[in-house]
Amino acid sequence: MSKIVIITGDGGESYEALYALHRFEEEGWNAEVAAPSRRRLNMVIHDFKPGWDTYIERRGYGLEANLQFEDVRVQEYAAVLVLGGRAPEYLRNNPKVIEIVREFDRQGKWVFAICHGVQVLAAAGLMRGKRVTCYEHVRPEVELAGATFVGEQTVCDGRLVTGQTWQSHPSFYRQIFAQLSGKAAVR
């Protein structure tokens, strides 16, 4: 099965979304984007600017969501990827999103998250006892969810692969495709 569902919404990180779609396509995977509704999403770009204590946000490229959450059938996919940006802050309150990621976990399928995407996994209760990484300012949520924060670009723990930020893309996707191909040991 070479199919993955990518979870995001308005305020999702534009670069993370496009990079994911292109990487999966390059590897011959069918990647489908799921969001609250089927439409063109308003994505954002988070960047770092000297003199700012936090990241700045600008409008990013738009992204077509070809599925709404209600249409996701977990049995059709090998994995789920939860993107970062601001979208996870409200998606973690969506019962259908929580149900989707929990079902991937129950079925022993791959769960991937990058940057703020771990907020969804924390809300779903999927991180207790796991080693994970994420954007550094999400670390308190990771630890409150019972996980151990690891300050590395990419961390694999069982069937969970996490990445810090879009700057982690090279190591994050190397790990993802090594795991999906069975060429790396599950740690």
Side-chain angles (χ1 to χ4, degrees), residues 7-19:
I7 291 179
T8 193
D10 285 333
E13 176 61 51
S14 178
Y15 183 51
E16 289 175 6
L18 294 175
Y19 196 96

Side-chain angles (χ1 to χ4, degrees), residues 13-17 19 45-49 55 84-85 113-116 133-137 152-154 162-174:
E13 176 61 51
S14 178
Y15 183 51
E16 289 175 6
Y19 196 96
I45 297 169
H46 289 144
D47 205 354
F48 302 94
K49 187 174 181 179
Y55 55 81
I114 189 164
C115 199
H116 286 75
T133 194
C134 59
Y135 178 59
E136 63 186 340
H137 294 288
E152 296 174 11
Q153 290 296 315
T154 302
T162 53
Q164 279 188 357
T165 68
W166 53 262
Q167 294 167 325
S168 308
H169 283 161
S171 66
F172 185 61
Y173 287 96
R174 268 194 306 274

Side-chain angles (χ1 to χ4, degrees), residues 21-36:
L21 285 171
H22 295 157
R23 281 299 293 127
F24 281 102
E25 184 178 311
E26 285 173 351
E27 296 295 328
W29 282 70
N30 179 10
E32 296 185 336
V33 176

Side-chain angles (χ1 to χ4, degrees), residues 2 55 88 141 144:
S2 296
Y55 55 81
E141 286 180 64
L144 286 168

